[in-house]
Amino acid sequence: QPEEQRVGYAIVGLGHLSLDEILPALAQCKKSKVTALVSGNREKALKVAKQYGVPEKNIYNYQTYDQLKDNPEVQAIYIVLPNGLHAEYTIRGAKAGKHILCEKPMANTPEECRQMIEACKQANRKLMIAYRIQYEPYHAMIRDSIRQKKFGKVKFIEATNAQYTANPSHWRHVKALAGGGSLPDIGLYCLNTIRYALGEEPTEVMGYQYSTPGDPLFKEVEENVTWQMRFPSGVLANCATAYAAHENRTYKVLAEKGWMSMQPAFAYKGLSMKQSHAEGPVEYNEEPKVAEKNQFALEMDHFSDCIQQDKKPFTPGEEGLQDHIIMEAIYQSAQEGKPVKL
Ligand code: NDP
């Protein structure tokens, strides 16, 4: 679409994700453009605005944020703040009359998610959670293979998302800003991707949690979580997430007559897939290739399309709420030492 027809976004919070991924991805968008910036750091915002051609009058801070309502160049707000601020800025943004694209995890608690959904409903604005994996082509291929029973019935899914973090003063280690530790931050990819692939909701979860005693990184939020999920079709899922482990992002689907696996499965780029299909005694191994597309560009353009065509986003607020309900059950299970039914 020509520039003037594209949906104009205000990007809120100029941290790593905004600067390294989202703003550069806009160059590959066909329906989205950046028209405003919201930041607590004016100097940084001025620099970024110059780089991306955002006029100085469209730079806001967290106090002037609500004045976005008077700016017709902004139709959507992309919230890229620490998790604990998502609810407040979604609600204020909806009240300012803007559609909201909010980073994952949606918020800190299911209750906050419900408030966000309600605020957007009241304001008659759209709400989408930025689950980029649900807009990524390899994951769409795996989902289709599962749904079409390409390898027979799926029996078992395994997913791991781990990374190493080392800064205890970062907001990710502060409960009020992060909501939790590895589970809502990166374990969420395992949970959300499996729900997306199966198109089913777990009926029961069992969780385990561990944090190294005395480690300042994990005073407020957890280090590692493993959990299992039981799905109505009989699929069992086994998941793990870790903050103090070397990077590993894997996903494996085991079916009656074959398997599909990805490593890395949840990275921004360089995703890679293998599959194996048995026909009688012969096994075929393949490495399917799909053209790499920028996940953030796909996700933003989907939201822009929903705004322009008045459609409900594929990953609406309810999708984020459901993950938070399940994560709460995983924590509860870990605490009580027994499975929790959903
Ligand atoms: P950063 O810490 O790098 O950036 C967060 C930004 O939020 C800061 O730079 C700051 O921007 C602003 N901010 C406002 N208030 C605060 C505060 N009290 N403490 C810290 N920062 C504040 O985080 P990320 O960019 O890594 O993460 C932002 C969001 O994006 C999170 O919700 C995270 O879960 C999500 N995320 C999603 C990913 C994905 O793949 N979809 C990957 C990485 C993160 P300023 O200086 O401009 O005010």
Side-chain angles (χ1 to χ4, degrees):
Q1 285 175 354
E3 278 288 309
E4 63 277 10
Q5 283 174 20
R6 295 182 183 201
V7 171
Y9 283 77
I11 308 290
V12 188
L14 303 178
H16 283 293
L17 188 68
S18 293
L19 297 180
D20 300 345
E21 304 297 333
I22 294 170
L23 284 160
L26 279 151
Q28 289 169 56
C29 285
K30 297 186 170 67
K31 299 178 179 179
S32 320
K33 63 184 176 187
V34 56
T35 48
L37 301 172
V38 183
S39 172
N41 181 333
R42 172 111 189 139
E43 213 175 304
K44 174 171 60 177
L46 277 166
K47 217 174 105 200
V48 177
K50 205 167 159 203
Q51 193 183 347
Y52 289 96
V54 174
E56 201 177 321
K57 70 171 177 58
N58 288 358
I59 299 177
Y60 297 80
N61 60 38
Y62 303 114
Q63 287 73 44
T64 61
Y65 177 69
D66 310 274
Q67 293 169 17
L68 277 170
K69 76 171 183 321
D70 301 319
N71 192 336
E73 289 164 46
V74 175
Q75 288 147 280
I77 293 174
Y78 193 166
I79 295 171
V80 202
L81 294 167
N83 312 339
L85 301 172
H86 290 182
E88 179 191 338
Y89 283 85
T90 294
I91 293 165
R92 283 169 64 185
K95 283 191 179 145
K98 308 299 175 184
H99 301 288
I100 309 288
L101 174 57
C102 178
E103 260 309 326
K104 52 50 63 183
M106 181 169 173
N108 279 3
T109 61
E111 185 44 36
E112 283 184 352
C113 298
R114 291 190 184 98
Q115 289 167 8
M116 292 159 78
I117 292 169
E118 185 57 27
C120 292
K121 199 171 136 197
Q122 288 298 326
N124 194 23
R125 296 294 86 179
K126 295 186 194 299
L127 172 59
M128 170 168 147
I129 310 307
Y131 286 116
R132 59 182 167 78
I133 293 296
Q134 296 205 32
Y135 302 92
E136 194 284 321
Y138 276 112
H139 283 279
M141 190 155 96
I142 293 182
R143 177 203 53 186
D144 292 345
S145 297
I146 292 174
R147 306 282 181 96
Q148 293 155 9
K149 297 196 170 57
K150 189 170 170 195
F151 303 104
K153 255 185 106 167
V154 172
K155 296 291 175 176
F156 188 62
I157 301 185
E158 231 173 34
T160 301
N161 201 0
Q163 68 187 33
Y164 197 83
T165 54
N167 175 5
S169 60
H170 192 272
W171 65 261
R172 280 190 169 79
H173 296 274
V174 178
K175 173 114 182 172
L177 287 172
S182 55
L183 180 61
D185 189 23
I186 54 175
L188 179 59
Y189 284 92
C190 306
L191 169 58
N192 188 261
T193 304
I194 293 172
R195 290 182 45 241
Y196 158 72
L198 291 175
E200 298 183 82
E201 298 301 337
T203 55
E204 187 177 301
V205 295
M206 176 73 213
Y208 289 93
Q209 190 177 317
Y210 176 80
S211 299
T212 306
D215 189 330
L217 285 169
F218 308 112
K219 239 169 51 192
E220 296 198 16
V221 303
E222 83 280 357
E223 179 180 353
N224 303 333
V225 183
T226 66
W227 73 100
Q228 292 169 319
M229 298 187 276
R230 185 191 283 285
F231 287 88
S233 64
V235 173
L236 296 176
N238 201 13
C239 304
T241 186
Y243 257 169
H246 189 66
E247 185 169 304
N248 184 287
R249 308 181 193 284
T250 53
Y251 177 44
K252 194 160 186 176
V253 178
L254 283 72
E256 288 166 313
K257 290 180 283 183
W259 52 258
M260 295 173 279
S261 82
M262 288 187 71
Q263 171 150 36
F266 311 117
Y268 301 141
K269 46 178 96 96
L271 301 189
S272 138
M273 180 181 169
K274 285 191 181 138
Q275 63 187 30
S276 177
H277 189 189
E279 270 172 28
V282 190
E283 221 177 86
Y284 299 92
N285 291 310
E286 297 165 326
E287 288 192 29
K289 295 268 180 266
V290 292
E292 185 160 275
K293 298 227 171 96
N294 185 295
Q295 299 170 33
F296 295 96
L298 293 173
E299 158 207 296
M300 280 188 278
D301 273 352
H302 172 75
F303 193 49
S304 299
D305 191 46
C306 291
I307 292 168
Q308 290 175 336
Q309 310 288 328
D310 194 20
K311 292 189 299 203
K312 186 158 181 159
F314 189 61
T315 51
E318 289 78 5
E319 176 76 2
L321 168 62
Q322 177 64 4
D323 279 335
H324 276 281
I325 290 170
I326 299 167
M327 289 193 289
E328 200 173 60
I330 294 168
Y331 282 131
Q332 187 194 334
S333 165
Q335 201 170 19
E336 295 175 353
K338 57 180 194 214
V340 170
K341 289 214 187 313
L342 284 154

